[in-house]
Each structure stands twice: as structure tokens, then as C-alpha cells.
Amino acid sequence: MTRILGVETSCDETSASVIEGTGDDATQRSLVILSQDVHRIFGGVVPEIASRQHLTAIVPVVTRALEDAGATLDDLDAIAVTYAPGLVGALLVGVSFAKALAFGRGIPCVAVHHMEGHLFATALEHRDAVPPFTALLVSGGHTMLVDVAAWGEYRLLGRTRDDAAGEAFDKVAKLLGLPYPGGPHVERLAATGDSSRFRFARPMLRRDQQPGDADYYDLSFSGLKTAVLNASRDASPEDHPHIARAFHDALVDTLVEKTARAVQEFGRTRVVLGGGVAGNRTLVAAMKARVKRLGAEVYAPTQRLATDNAAMIARAGLFHFERGERAGLDLNAFGSMPLPGLVTA
Ligand code: KG4
Ligand code: ZN
């Protein structure tokens, strides 16, 4: 059995977690997530402030995660840390901390790609959320449709060509006068809207698209955001719930249909959702209803594991640790980096 400390500082959450286990039999012993509230007043994450807050929080957050797990530094076999992608200054705090701690304790450090962490998150809560599966990762910074044949073997089917799904939620929230981060607020407002009042085109979704077409799996949300902008310009505030509903319906329909295409093409029986937008209950319910007809089950993480957290980093770290992968002291942080383990054709 391996016991791993995970560290995540890629954006505005300082998080640490202890997990233990072997292979897919892994248990979360603790998870501490400190969300930086300060960014709310700016309506978005301010990178320099994020770095400074990580620096202040990292030691107490890790200390607390160890305490909650009933563990000490002596009990750790390795430290897993997010090294990309994200805000480079924020990432550097976690990376520097993890390397220093690993060096000081004489234990290995394992580098984890943030989006691969999201692929592993649901497996901590559902035993069956393991490969092979179709994955839809929808967060504030990324939107990816991935076929996962095995851990470490990822086929990137589609991605957004402009805004990420969460980013679209946040921008629409701003247009409708809702707080940041906007996802949950837009979801709640949309639930009270009348779906027959407004209708927006489903972006990049047409019946005549074929597998192999560049836009068969790709996504795009900036046009939808513009549709909301135009609709809200001449609308009264009473129309806001209906506009939110039309936006929500178009976005969910698109994500669900593209995912269903992947399930069909690869004959998968499992769909795993990840990223902050996977906390959207309307999306999860629509996904379940749609892929049930294809004989597939949907596994979604709870809100806590859907958004950025260190448990998913520790879980992905366990996989890489067991494969013998070790990061050197020259490990650096990168703002962008392709998902590791990508397979083509
Ligand atoms: O994965 P995450 O915590 O951070 C990134 O790596 O980006 O995702 C945050 C994003 C935000 O854009 C937020 O608005 C969105 O997830 N989000 C939601 C919901 N909860 C969070 N979007 C739609 N519906 C939700 N319930
Ligand atoms: Zn994330």
C-alpha cells in the first residue's frame, strides 16, 4: 500500500490531500481545500494575488491535511504535485513546496498534469469510474472530450475552439448581473426560466456531421455567449431567467450530444464527468437520460471533487508512482502543456 500527499495550487484553490491504496483500490484519507475569496471583488482570478495567497496558505493547508488523515510526514511514501497547466506563478508555489519537502524527507516527488487529475477524481467516489470510459472534462479553463482506453492512454476527441464551458457560464453570469463564479448561479436561475421564451442555436452541432469531420467532436461557446449578450441587450430583467434557461439548454444539449457520439463510436459503457461544470445537476441528469439509451452509465463527482482539489492529484500521482515515474529536482511549472499519454489514430 502506498500513502501519497497531493498538492494542488494551479488556480485559486490551495489544496492538500492524503490518499492511500494500491491500483484502483485507493481511499481518500483527508482533503483540505482553501478557496481564495479575494478574487470575487475583481470578478475573476488575479494571478499575482493567487500566488501570494498560496504562499501564505500552503504550509497550514498541508499540515491540516496530514492531521485530518492521522498521519505524519514519516508516513508518506511520495508527494504528488500539479505542475501544469494553470497560472504559472501559482503552480510554482506548489511545485517548489513539493520538491523541497520531498528532498527534505528523502521521498519521491511525482508530477501530475491538472487535467489528468480531473480524469481520476470520480474514481475516488465511484469504484466503477475506471477505464475504459468516455470522459467529458468541463472546467473554467478547459473543455475536452477524451476517450480513455486505459489510465495513461488518452485519445483527445474534441475540445473547445474558444471559451471553456465554465468560462461561458462565468461570462453569461456577468451579463445577467450574477456573482462570480457564475456556474451555480446561472444553473439556479435557468431552472426558473421558461424554455419556450428564447432559443439559441446549438454551437457546432449539426445532424450532417460525420466522424472524422473536424467539428464532429469540437465545441465552441463564444457564439452562444454573444447570443446571450444580444438577447439581454433589449430584454427586461424579468427575461433573465428565460435567457439563462435558453443558454443552459443549448450548452447542455451540445455537451450531451457530443459525448453520446463518442460513446457510440468507441462502444463505451461508462461516461465519466470531471471539472467544475460537472457539478451541474442539470447536465448530469441530461447526460444520464441520453446515454442510457446507448446502454451507458454516467459517473459524476460530487461538487467537492468536481472542482479543483488535491485528492485527484494524489490519485493520479498514485498511478504514476506505481509506474515508477519520478520527478527530478529540476521539475518546473508550465502554464500550458498537452495532456500526457495522448494517443493518435
Ligand atoms: O474545475 P474548476 O474548479 O476550475 C478550473 O480548473 O477551471 O471549474 C470552475 C468552473 C467555473 O467556471 C464555475 O463557474 C464552473 O466551474 N461551475 C459550474 C457549476 N459549478 C461550478 N458551472 C455550471 N454549473 C455549476 N453548477
Ligand atoms: Zn480544474
Side-chain angles (χ1 to χ4, degrees):
M1 191 198 62
T2 305
R3 194 174 287 124
I4 294 195
L5 170 71
V7 173
E8 154 69 36
T9 63
S10 70
C11 192
D12 58 344
E13 267 92 27
T14 315
S15 181
S17 165
V18 177
I19 72 152
E20 59 185 32
T22 307
D24 282 334
D25 188 14
T27 311
Q28 178 185 312
R29 297 301 309 271
S30 69
L31 172 58
V32 178
I33 305 173
L34 191 72
S35 292
Q36 302 177 356
D37 219 23
V38 57
H39 304 290
R40 282 171 197 270
I41 50 175
F42 301 105
V45 178
V46 183
E48 181 56 26
I49 296 178
S51 312
R52 285 165 192 254
Q53 297 232 334
H54 284 308
L55 210 50
T56 315
I58 188 79
V59 171
V61 164
V62 168
T63 305
R64 182 62 186 271
L66 287 168
E67 275 171 20
D68 287 358
T72 68
L73 289 173
D74 289 334
D75 300 320
L76 299 177
D77 298 301
I79 303 170
V81 65
T82 311
Y83 77 105
L87 303 170
V88 82
L91 286 163
L92 268 173
V93 176
V95 167
S96 308
F97 176 87
K99 284 197 294 187
L101 187 60
F103 179 69
R105 305 300 304 177
I107 56 175
C109 180
V110 180
V112 174
H113 188 285
H114 181 81
M115 297 313 290
E116 190 179 25
H118 278 300
L119 284 177
F120 275 90
T122 315
L124 283 166
E125 297 181 312
H126 299 278
R127 296 208 143 257
D128 293 331
V130 294
F133 58 75
T134 301
L136 176 68
L137 299 182
V138 273
S139 73
H142 297 267
T143 301
M144 303 163 73
L145 188 59
V146 187
D147 182 67
V148 179
W151 293 129
E153 209 177 305
Y154 311 124
R155 186 185 304 263
L156 180 62
L157 301 174
R159 52 164 50 173
T160 179
R161 295 194 181 174
D162 37 62
D163 294 349
E167 191 180 354
F169 269 103
D170 295 337
K171 287 177 176 169
V172 164
K174 211 170 199 172
L175 290 173
L176 300 179
L178 299 168
Y180 170 87
H185 299 282
V186 173
E187 182 182 11
R188 266 195 299 276
L189 187 66
T192 68
D194 176 349
S195 64
S196 66
R197 293 287 304 281
F198 291 84
R199 184 176 168 87
F200 302 137
R202 275 57 182 149
M204 307 254 281
L205 189 66
R206 293 187 326 274
R207 280 180 197 282
D208 61 359
Q209 288 165 324
Q210 301 290 330
D213 289 354
D215 56 2
Y216 188 68
Y217 289 121
D218 269 355
L219 299 145
S220 158
F221 299 110
S222 78
L224 190 53
K225 176 190 66 193
T226 308
V228 170
L229 174 68
N230 291 335
S232 59
R233 228 185 242 136
D234 344 288
S236 73
E238 289 91 82
D239 284 330
H240 283 184
H242 312 314
I243 294 173
R245 176 62 185 267
F247 161 77
H248 209 282
D249 285 352
L251 183 134
V252 166
D253 257 13
T254 307
L255 291 176
V256 166
E257 274 315 307
K258 300 245 163 173
T259 307
R261 286 176 175 180
V263 168
Q264 247 169 328
E265 182 177 351
F266 294 89
R268 300 301 182 208
T269 56
R270 295 163 185 178
V271 172
V272 171
L273 304 180
V277 184
N280 187 296
R281 285 160 190 267
T282 318
L283 169 66
V284 177
M287 191 69 79
K288 282 189 172 159
R290 176 67 181 86
V291 303
K292 196 175 173 188
R293 290 192 265 139
L294 306 173
E297 280 281 332
V298 176
Y299 301 94
T302 57
Q303 186 82 35
R304 194 163 162 78
L305 285 190
T307 54
D308 292 349
N309 70 83
M312 68 184 196
I313 301 305
R315 180 63 188 80
L318 174 63
F319 167 71
H320 289 287
F321 176 83
E322 288 181 334
R323 287 218 299 197
E325 292 168 34
R326 306 289 183 261
L329 284 174
D330 58 349
L331 175 67
N332 205 351
F334 298 92
S336 68
M337 174 70 63
L339 192 66
L342 283 181
V343 292
T344 47

